[in-house]
Every structure is written in structure tokens, then in C-alpha cells.
Amino acid sequence: MQLNFIDNSAIASLSGRTLPVIDPSDGQPFDEIQRSNERDIDAAVRAARECFDGPWSALSAAERGRLLMALSVKISEHTEELAALEQRDCGKPTKQARADAAALARYFEFYAGACDKLHGETLPYQPGYSVFTWREPHGVTGHIIPWNYPMQIFGRSVGGALAAGNCCVVKPSEDACLSLIRVAQLAAEAGLPGGAINIVTGYGHEVGDALARHPGIDHISFTGSPSVGTIIQQVAAERHCPVTLELGGKSPQIIFADADLDAAIPVVINAIVQNGGQTCSAGSRVLIEQPIYEGLLDRLGQAFEALRVGPAAMDLDVGPLIRQTQQQRVWDFLSDAQASGIPLVAQGVVVEEAPESGFYQAPVLLADVPVMHRLAQEEVFGPVLSAMSFKDEDHAVELANATRFGLVAGVWTQNGARQLRMARRVRSGQVFINNYGAGGGVELPFGGVKSSGYGREKGFEALYGFTTLKTVAIKA
Ligand code: NAD
């Protein structure tokens, strides 16, 4: 049984209730987490506040950095254990689970080094004045995390917030808590004071809502669906609490006729099948210039047919989806496609070893998807790639921008001037030219425009969001 982690102690919820933890590979329960309530959140916020008012703010920036580095080292030492937890909890193939644990360590390494490099400025003003700015932490930050990349999103969000001097209350997804509870324990072992990182598990509408509403929370970092993002924004507006929203996407891969297709094909495939397509920045639309449309569809189709799906521990191309409702969601999209006469070009194979009770879905390639169809407009959040053709650069831009999202875009062309024009014209938070990062590296600011959210996490830029600027003017 897993407990909450508050003030460096493992604590049962005051509710006395628990929730089962389900293994997506076989659909069976194997552990329990706490089904916490608003009193648990209150205890966590108080612990975080005491830490912020006490030991955390008493550290120099360099000392804070050393503690975050110690945590990074601890995480690296426990990579296999953390990857195994996340694999069972989220159904991640081994390679993906290990990559996520390595990224978590790297986030803390990056932000450890950033702690003592964050500073304000001196400003020119009127004669006789000295004016400067300080970057101050918000205080206690709330972090609401989804299930698709728990370790990575915890790393980028909590890593940045701690580096900027905040103390954190974290609400993981009810579907993916195990690795984060363990990371909080490792943080205590690494020497972080009690209250710096607190983990409270449970349902979003119960404990997530309580966190977003708590008057002791000074900033909310929310990563999740656009619909819950709207609720968070509304709740936070009641008390004018600043929010960072990292929401969904319908990211295009735009492939011009002059592209290096041998380089593009494996990247385009990976961008939609990585983590079973359950990635906010999944390249879920492929826009192909007309002269190469049929030929490229053929090649993509062959690659799709070679994809194998099975239990996470088999470490195939794709693992199970997170839960039955997610599987049902993908089925609903696919039956809509069928009803609309959208051609299914190719699909991968679910291996025989996959238990029927697991949540499997073979990757699917669909062709000629109309731009306003929901397959081209909404997040499927499964391994489904929608292809459509474009006739020229203007048409490519029009299609790329024709959704309510704007998270990431990929552009494939050898023409340098076109690379720059496309980078400028596509509306998204990140643009990759002749590569695709599905979120990119730890160092690269990440976030969206339009309904993909606002604010940036990752990179040094995130530290500005986790601080508030104070201007000091002295007349002397
Ligand atoms: P979700 O919105 O259902 O849940 C996200 C988190 O919010 C969970 O911890 C959940 O318990 C909590 N929550 C739910 N209802 C709440 C409420 N009323 N008040 C407070 N908290 C609440 O999203 P999900 O299904 O876990 O994740 C998938 C979504 O996340 C997709 O839309 C995906 O694109 C998005 N996502 C975005 C990014 C990004 O960086 N832009 C990264 C990963 C996932």
C-alpha cells in the first residue's frame, strides 16, 4: 500500500480510503494508493509553507543547487527501480521507462545548475535613483500532473519550481503515482528538508480541486487536458492565482516533396507511436505535399505494419494504453473514421502474448482525413496517425494552423528559406525542422499557444514563470 508523502513522512490519508492501482498490461490491480481529501491537501500546504518560511529560504541559491544535484544523483542511482515502477504503473515499454527516469535525473541536474544563475537587473531611471529587480519565488506552488509522463513532467515542473526557491505540493494522476512517491522519498534521503516536496494522491475532482482552491497555494502548474485546464483557470481566477497551463496538441508533421524521406519516416512513426501515442506533443497529423503523397503513404504503411504491440515488459514498439476508458476513446475515434469512409491504410499487430484483459491498441494509419473531421481536430491520445495532402506552402500553413491547438510542429524540407518561412508562419510553441523532439530536450522551453495552453516549462525560461519580479527603487 502506498502512502502520501508529507513533511518527509509517509502518511495515510485522513479519509481512510484508498484506490486500486491497475497494471495496464493485464488490467489487474496490484497495489493501492491513498484516496486523499482536502484535509490532506491542507496538511501538505502547511508543511510546504513552514519549509518555505524556514529552512528552504534560509539556503543560499548555491546550497539549494547542491541539494537538487544530490537528488539528481539519487535518481540516477535508482533508475532501474524507478523505471520498473513506472513501467508497471503506466504500461511503458522498458526503453521508454528508462528514458523517462534518465530525463528526470537530467531535469534535476539542469535545474541544480540554474539555481545560482537566476538574477534580476539594474535599470536606468531618473537621476538620483538606483533601481533594480529581484526575482522572488512565489512561495508554495501546486503541481497537478497527468499520467502519460509522470517522471518527466514532475522533473520539469517541480525541478524548476524548487530551483526558483519555491516549495511544492504535488498531485499526481490517480493512474500514475508510484514513481513520484518514490522520488519524494529519494529527495528526503538526498537531504531536502521536510515540506520541500509533498505528494498527495487521489482523484482530480476531489484532491486536485482542493489543491487548486487552497488559498495557501501561490502558483499552479497544471499539465493535462484542455477541459480540466479550463476548470483550473476558473478556480484560480477566484483568487487571482497565477497558472501555467500545459495542455494538449494536434501537432502536424509537414513533409515537402524535397524532404529527405529516409530521415523523416522513422521520426514521423516514432512521434505518433512513442508511449502509445499518449503524448501531448505526438505528431498526430502528417501533411504531405501532393506529388509524394501516395508514395509516402505506401512507405509509412509498410512501417506501420511492422509495428508490434504487447505487454510493457516485452519492450516492443508499443505498450498498452493507460486504461480501459482510454482504449474505448481510441475505438470511438476509429469507428467514427470508418463511418465517415476514411481509408485505413495500414495497422500494426498486437502480439499473441498480450493478455485480453490488457488495454492494447495497434497503431493505425488513416489517409485523406478531411481537415474539419474530428480525427484531424481532436486529440485521440492513442497511436492513430491522420494523413492529408497539401498543394503548396500556403496550403500547408493553412492546414497546419487549422486546429484549436498549437503545441509543436515538424517541418521537413531541404529548402533553407522555406524552413524559416514555415517556422515563422506555423502557430505553435516549438517548431522542429528536419527533426522532431516530441517535447524536445530538457534545455528547450516548452509550451503552447491557443488551446495548448500558456506559460513555458523546461529550460531556463521556466524559472521566470516560477518567480515573480519585484522592482526596488531607491532615492539617495
Ligand atoms: P486530465 O486533465 O484528465 O488530468 C490531469 C491531472 O488533472 C490529473 O492529475 C487529474 O487527476 C487532475 N484533475 C482532473 N480533474 C481535476 C479537477 N477538476 N481539478 C483539479 N485537478 C483535476 O489529463 P490526463 O488524462 O491525465 O492527461 C492527458 C492530457 O494531458 C492530454 O490532453 C495531454 O495532451 C495533456 N498533456 C499535456 C502535456 C503538455 O506538456 N502540454 C504533457 C502531458 C499531457
Side-chain angles (χ1 to χ4, degrees):
M1 156 117 55
Q2 304 292 325
L3 301 176
N4 288 333
F5 198 76
I6 298 175
D7 202 12
N8 279 0
S9 301
I11 298 176
S13 167
L14 295 166
S15 73
R17 301 169 83 182
T18 60
L19 293 172
V21 180
I22 309 289
D23 180 345
S25 290
D26 61 12
Q28 301 305 310
F30 66 95
D31 203 343
E32 284 176 301
I33 55 166
Q34 302 299 302
R35 180 175 170 177
S36 310
N37 64 19
E38 70 284 354
R39 290 191 295 150
D40 302 307
I41 285 291
D42 193 51
V45 174
R46 271 190 281 113
R49 177 67 58 192
E50 276 170 32
C51 185
F52 178 74
D53 288 341
W56 197 240
S57 297
L59 295 173
S60 71
E63 287 166 333
R64 216 163 55 229
R66 275 180 221 122
L67 285 177
L68 296 192
M69 192 60 211
L71 174 54
S72 173
V73 171
K74 276 267 173 214
I75 292 165
S76 295
E77 288 166 358
H78 290 78
T79 297
E80 284 302 310
E81 180 194 354
L82 291 167
L85 283 172
E86 192 120 313
Q87 174 165 69
R88 186 103 197 259
D89 205 7
C90 305
K92 285 179 189 267
T94 313
K95 275 190 286 300
Q96 185 65 49
R98 285 184 180 145
D100 289 1
L104 173 66
R106 174 75 186 114
Y107 275 115
F108 279 96
E109 180 186 52
F110 178 87
Y111 284 117
C115 287
D116 56 1
K117 282 122 198 129
L118 179 66
H119 52 72
E121 296 176 312
T122 55
L123 306 174
Y125 192 50
Q126 297 170 17
Y129 284 82
S130 296
V131 182
F132 55 90
T133 57
W134 278 326
R135 289 224 155 256
E136 297 185 329
H138 293 290
V140 177
T141 49
H143 303 259
I144 301 178
I145 295 186
W147 46 260
N148 57 346
Y149 291 92
M151 286 194 280
Q152 290 216 34
I153 293 168
F154 176 94
R156 77 184 194 202
S157 176
V158 172
L162 288 171
N166 301 282
C167 292
C168 304
V169 179
V170 181
K171 207 302 274 179
S173 165
E174 52 274 33
D175 291 312
C177 296
L178 305 192
S179 60
L180 302 191
I181 294 170
R182 185 68 186 118
V183 174
Q185 294 164 358
L186 293 176
E189 288 173 28
L192 272 79
I197 300 177
N198 306 277
I199 310 275
V200 184
T201 65
Y203 283 129
H205 63 277
E206 293 178 353
V207 76
D209 183 70
L211 175 60
R213 284 181 197 284
H214 198 290
I217 294 289
D218 301 312
H219 176 276
I220 302 169
S221 161
F222 173 78
T223 306
S225 59
S227 54
V228 177
T230 304
I231 297 173
I232 299 290
Q233 220 171 351
Q234 285 166 343
V235 166
E238 295 279 328
R239 56 195 171 81
H240 309 110
C241 178
V243 178
T244 299
L245 293 181
E246 297 278 3
L247 309 177
K250 193 74 195 174
S251 299
Q253 296 269 13
I254 308 163
I255 308 188
F256 286 91
D258 68 344
D260 176 349
L261 297 184
D262 292 337
I265 288 170
V267 178
V268 168
I269 302 280
N270 186 56
I272 186 61
V273 301
Q274 179 181 316
N275 212 39
Q278 303 167 121
T279 304
C280 53
S281 49
S284 53
R285 293 185 294 152
V286 59
L287 317 182
I288 305 171
E289 199 167 10
Q290 268 164 10
I292 60 163
Y293 184 64
E294 294 299 336
L296 181 53
L297 271 186
D298 272 357
R299 291 185 64 182
L300 287 171
Q302 284 165 27
F304 263 71
E305 280 165 6
L307 293 167
R308 295 286 171 275
V309 185
M314 286 182 75
D315 199 21
L316 302 176
D317 303 303
V318 185
L321 300 177
I322 186 77
R323 52 172 133 77
Q324 202 279 323
T325 51
Q326 194 63 27
Q327 191 185 33
Q328 185 62 50
R329 176 183 166 85
V330 179
W331 290 346
D332 289 347
F333 272 97
L334 292 176
S335 52
D336 264 16
Q338 199 180 15
S340 309
I342 292 175
L344 189 155
V345 179
Q347 58 183 327
V349 175
V350 179
V351 298
E352 279 177 8
E353 294 87 337
E356 288 212 350
S357 52
F359 311 133
Y360 298 97
Q361 170 61 50
V364 171
L365 174 61
L366 300 171
D368 308 340
V369 178
V371 63
M372 294 319 291
H373 195 280
R374 64 188 284 250
L375 255 312
Q377 290 291 325
E378 295 173 28
E379 254 187 324
V380 177
F381 232 54
V384 180
L385 180 59
S386 296
M388 58 191 83
S389 68
F390 64 85
K391 57 180 188 304
D392 56 21
E393 204 174 300
D394 285 343
H395 191 206
V397 172
E398 185 188 320
L399 292 178
N401 291 340
T403 75
R404 68 182 175 122
F405 295 110
L407 195 55
V408 180
V411 178
W412 298 83
T413 175
Q414 310 277 16
N415 178 329
R418 182 193 278 151
Q419 292 173 359
L420 288 174
R421 282 195 302 273
M422 291 299 292
R424 234 179 263 122
R425 296 178 72 191
V426 169
R427 291 202 64 204
S428 65
Q430 287 188 329
V431 180
F432 290 91
I433 311 282
N434 294 337
N435 74 105
Y436 193 80
V442 164
E443 308 84 350
L444 311 185
F446 180 70
V449 298
K450 304 194 282 182
S451 286
S452 291
Y454 55 81
R456 294 292 176 265
E457 290 191 344
K458 307 172 80 159
F460 204 82
E461 181 71 23
L463 299 179
Y464 301 128
F466 286 121
T467 51
T468 180
L469 195 74
K470 182 180 278 174
T471 305
V472 182
I474 303 172
K475 190 174 182 197

